[in-house]
mmCIF file of all heavy atoms in Angstrom:
data_model
loop_
_atom_site.group_PDB
_atom_site.id
_atom_site.type_symbol
_atom_site.label_atom_id
_atom_site.label_comp_id
_atom_site.label_asym_id
_atom_site.label_seq_id
_atom_site.Cartn_x
_atom_site.Cartn_y
_atom_site.Cartn_z
ATOM 1 N N GLY T 17 54.220 85.344 109.809
ATOM 2 C CA GLY T 17 53.671 84.063 110.251
ATOM 3 C C GLY T 17 54.261 82.945 109.430
ATOM 4 O O GLY T 17 54.952 83.163 108.427
ATOM 5 N N MET T 18 53.964 81.750 109.853
ATOM 6 C CA MET T 18 54.500 80.555 109.207
ATOM 7 C C MET T 18 53.973 80.395 107.780
ATOM 8 O O MET T 18 52.909 80.920 107.440
ATOM 9 C CB MET T 18 54.085 79.321 110.004
ATOM 10 C CG MET T 18 54.840 79.124 111.299
ATOM 11 S SD MET T 18 56.543 78.599 111.007
ATOM 12 C CE MET T 18 56.293 76.935 110.372
ATOM 13 N N MET T 19 54.674 79.574 107.009
ATOM 14 C CA MET T 19 54.141 79.139 105.709
ATOM 15 C C MET T 19 52.768 78.530 105.968
ATOM 16 O O MET T 19 52.601 77.757 106.913
ATOM 17 C CB MET T 19 55.045 78.049 105.116
ATOM 18 C CG MET T 19 56.425 78.525 104.757
ATOM 19 S SD MET T 19 57.496 77.156 104.200
ATOM 20 C CE MET T 19 58.369 76.774 105.721
ATOM 21 N N GLY T 20 51.804 78.894 105.148
ATOM 22 C CA GLY T 20 50.465 78.328 105.307
ATOM 23 C C GLY T 20 49.567 79.129 106.228
ATOM 24 O O GLY T 20 48.387 78.805 106.375
ATOM 25 N N LYS T 23 49.310 84.536 104.781
ATOM 26 C CA LYS T 23 49.795 85.911 104.635
ATOM 27 C C LYS T 23 49.458 86.488 103.260
ATOM 28 O O LYS T 23 49.030 87.629 103.150
ATOM 29 C CB LYS T 23 51.321 85.970 104.872
ATOM 30 C CG LYS T 23 51.745 85.467 106.236
ATOM 31 C CD LYS T 23 53.255 85.498 106.404
ATOM 32 C CE LYS T 23 54.027 84.622 105.452
ATOM 33 N NZ LYS T 23 53.903 83.172 105.679
ATOM 34 N N SER T 24 49.661 85.670 102.218
ATOM 35 C CA SER T 24 49.400 86.185 100.866
ATOM 36 C C SER T 24 47.905 86.377 100.639
ATOM 37 O O SER T 24 47.477 87.409 100.103
ATOM 38 C CB SER T 24 49.973 85.241 99.810
ATOM 39 O OG SER T 24 51.361 85.123 99.976
ATOM 40 N N ASP T 42 57.974 86.946 98.538
ATOM 41 C CA ASP T 42 58.492 85.953 97.577
ATOM 42 C C ASP T 42 58.322 86.434 96.139
ATOM 43 O O ASP T 42 59.214 86.258 95.305
ATOM 44 C CB ASP T 42 57.768 84.613 97.745
ATOM 45 C CG ASP T 42 58.259 83.848 98.972
ATOM 46 O OD1 ASP T 42 59.247 84.282 99.593
ATOM 47 O OD2 ASP T 42 57.644 82.818 99.303
ATOM 48 N N VAL T 53 61.668 81.069 93.675
ATOM 49 C CA VAL T 53 62.309 80.824 94.975
ATOM 50 C C VAL T 53 63.074 79.492 94.954
ATOM 51 O O VAL T 53 64.256 79.452 95.333
ATOM 52 C CB VAL T 53 61.267 80.879 96.120
ATOM 53 C CG1 VAL T 53 61.877 80.388 97.429
ATOM 54 C CG2 VAL T 53 60.722 82.298 96.274
ATOM 55 N N TRP T 57 67.127 79.094 95.565
ATOM 56 C CA TRP T 57 67.515 78.263 96.701
ATOM 57 C C TRP T 57 68.488 77.175 96.251
ATOM 58 O O TRP T 57 69.518 76.936 96.869
ATOM 59 C CB TRP T 57 66.238 77.649 97.284
ATOM 60 C CG TRP T 57 66.312 77.179 98.688
ATOM 61 C CD1 TRP T 57 66.938 76.050 99.130
ATOM 62 C CD2 TRP T 57 65.724 77.790 99.843
ATOM 63 N NE1 TRP T 57 66.750 75.917 100.471
ATOM 64 C CE2 TRP T 57 66.023 76.961 100.932
ATOM 65 C CE3 TRP T 57 64.954 78.942 100.038
ATOM 66 C CZ2 TRP T 57 65.584 77.245 102.225
ATOM 67 C CZ3 TRP T 57 64.522 79.228 101.311
ATOM 68 C CH2 TRP T 57 64.830 78.408 102.395
ATOM 69 N N PHE T 65 69.282 83.354 99.405
ATOM 70 C CA PHE T 65 67.857 83.687 99.399
ATOM 71 C C PHE T 65 67.516 84.600 100.580
ATOM 72 O O PHE T 65 66.772 85.580 100.430
ATOM 73 C CB PHE T 65 67.011 82.412 99.463
ATOM 74 C CG PHE T 65 65.552 82.696 99.619
ATOM 75 C CD1 PHE T 65 64.802 83.155 98.540
ATOM 76 C CD2 PHE T 65 64.913 82.567 100.853
ATOM 77 C CE1 PHE T 65 63.451 83.471 98.687
ATOM 78 C CE2 PHE T 65 63.577 82.873 101.014
ATOM 79 C CZ PHE T 65 62.846 83.323 99.921
ATOM 80 N N ARG T 66 68.063 84.302 101.751
ATOM 81 C CA ARG T 66 67.763 85.120 102.943
ATOM 82 C C ARG T 66 68.234 86.558 102.767
ATOM 83 O O ARG T 66 67.606 87.491 103.262
ATOM 84 C CB ARG T 66 68.395 84.502 104.201
ATOM 85 C CG ARG T 66 67.879 83.113 104.570
ATOM 86 C CD ARG T 66 66.418 83.137 104.963
ATOM 87 N NE ARG T 66 65.909 81.797 105.241
ATOM 88 C CZ ARG T 66 64.616 81.463 105.188
ATOM 89 N NH1 ARG T 66 63.708 82.349 104.847
ATOM 90 N NH2 ARG T 66 64.232 80.253 105.463
ATOM 91 N N GLU T 69 65.666 88.276 100.671
ATOM 92 C CA GLU T 69 64.472 88.469 101.501
ATOM 93 C C GLU T 69 64.649 89.690 102.433
ATOM 94 O O GLU T 69 63.736 90.502 102.596
ATOM 95 C CB GLU T 69 64.319 87.178 102.303
ATOM 96 C CG GLU T 69 63.132 87.018 103.170
ATOM 97 C CD GLU T 69 63.182 85.626 103.819
ATOM 98 O OE1 GLU T 69 63.902 85.426 104.815
ATOM 99 O OE2 GLU T 69 62.487 84.741 103.315
ATOM 100 N N ALA T 87 55.201 89.431 104.446
ATOM 101 C CA ALA T 87 56.594 89.017 104.608
ATOM 102 C C ALA T 87 56.690 87.501 104.473
ATOM 103 O O ALA T 87 55.739 86.784 104.788
ATOM 104 C CB ALA T 87 57.115 89.461 105.974
ATOM 105 N N ALA T 88 57.844 87.020 104.023
ATOM 106 C CA ALA T 88 58.002 85.561 103.910
ATOM 107 C C ALA T 88 58.157 84.969 105.308
ATOM 108 O O ALA T 88 58.598 85.650 106.243
ATOM 109 C CB ALA T 88 59.213 85.238 103.049
ATOM 110 N N GLY T 89 57.804 83.689 105.425
ATOM 111 C CA GLY T 89 57.777 83.037 106.739
ATOM 112 C C GLY T 89 59.086 83.116 107.503
ATOM 113 O O GLY T 89 59.097 83.237 108.728
ATOM 114 N N GLY T 90 60.213 83.070 106.759
ATOM 115 C CA GLY T 90 61.504 83.017 107.426
ATOM 116 C C GLY T 90 62.108 84.368 107.750
ATOM 117 O O GLY T 90 63.240 84.448 108.238
ATOM 118 N N GLY T 126 56.449 74.207 96.110
ATOM 119 C CA GLY T 126 57.475 75.196 95.769
ATOM 120 C C GLY T 126 58.175 75.798 96.964
ATOM 121 O O GLY T 126 58.799 76.840 96.855
ATOM 122 N N ARG T 127 58.089 75.125 98.114
ATOM 123 C CA ARG T 127 58.781 75.639 99.299
ATOM 124 C C ARG T 127 59.922 74.672 99.638
ATOM 125 O O ARG T 127 59.696 73.583 100.161
ATOM 126 C CB ARG T 127 57.817 75.757 100.470
ATOM 127 C CG ARG T 127 56.788 76.874 100.258
ATOM 128 C CD ARG T 127 55.675 76.737 101.241
ATOM 129 N NE ARG T 127 54.858 77.931 101.333
ATOM 130 C CZ ARG T 127 53.524 77.895 101.312
ATOM 131 N NH1 ARG T 127 52.869 76.761 101.170
ATOM 132 N NH2 ARG T 127 52.831 79.011 101.434
ATOM 133 N N PRO T 128 61.149 75.087 99.319
ATOM 134 C CA PRO T 128 62.287 74.173 99.422
ATOM 135 C C PRO T 128 62.450 73.541 100.804
ATOM 136 O O PRO T 128 62.862 72.396 100.906
ATOM 137 C CB PRO T 128 63.485 75.070 99.086
ATOM 138 C CG PRO T 128 62.920 76.194 98.302
ATOM 139 C CD PRO T 128 61.519 76.410 98.783
ATOM 140 N N LEU T 129 62.123 74.259 101.856
ATOM 141 C CA LEU T 129 62.311 73.700 103.198
ATOM 142 C C LEU T 129 61.408 72.498 103.453
ATOM 143 O O LEU T 129 61.635 71.726 104.380
ATOM 144 C CB LEU T 129 62.012 74.763 104.270
ATOM 145 C CG LEU T 129 63.100 75.796 104.514
ATOM 146 C CD1 LEU T 129 62.575 76.892 105.440
ATOM 147 C CD2 LEU T 129 64.319 75.134 105.143
ATOM 148 N N ARG T 145 60.356 79.149 115.496
ATOM 149 C CA ARG T 145 59.995 80.514 115.104
ATOM 150 C C ARG T 145 58.915 81.170 115.958
ATOM 151 O O ARG T 145 58.811 82.393 115.965
ATOM 152 C CB ARG T 145 59.533 80.515 113.645
ATOM 153 C CG ARG T 145 60.654 80.146 112.711
ATOM 154 C CD ARG T 145 60.148 80.089 111.315
ATOM 155 N NE ARG T 145 61.185 79.708 110.361
ATOM 156 C CZ ARG T 145 60.987 79.598 109.076
ATOM 157 N NH1 ARG T 145 59.777 79.831 108.580
ATOM 158 N NH2 ARG T 145 61.970 79.257 108.272
HETATM 159 C C1 S3P G 1 59.974 80.181 103.781
HETATM 160 C C2 S3P G 1 58.727 80.644 103.442
HETATM 161 C C3 S3P G 1 58.293 80.829 102.060
HETATM 162 C C4 S3P G 1 59.488 81.101 101.155
HETATM 163 C C5 S3P G 1 60.547 80.067 101.319
HETATM 164 C C6 S3P G 1 61.036 79.920 102.763
HETATM 165 C C7 S3P G 1 60.308 79.993 105.216
HETATM 166 O O1 S3P G 1 57.391 81.941 101.995
HETATM 167 O O2 S3P G 1 60.027 82.370 101.419
HETATM 168 O O3 S3P G 1 60.029 78.847 100.836
HETATM 169 O O4 S3P G 1 61.496 79.862 105.556
HETATM 170 O O5 S3P G 1 59.356 79.983 106.036
HETATM 171 P P1 S3P G 1 55.861 81.893 102.567
HETATM 172 O O6 S3P G 1 55.913 82.070 104.028
HETATM 173 O O7 S3P G 1 55.207 83.038 101.875
HETATM 174 O O8 S3P G 1 55.319 80.575 102.174
#
Side-chain angles (χ1 to χ4, degrees):
M18 285 288 291
M19 294 175 263
K23 301 178 298 289
S24 300
D42 284 352
V53 170
W57 201 285
F65 173 75
R66 298 295 177 202
E69 185 178 80
R127 291 166 165 133
L129 282 172
R145 295 177 181 180

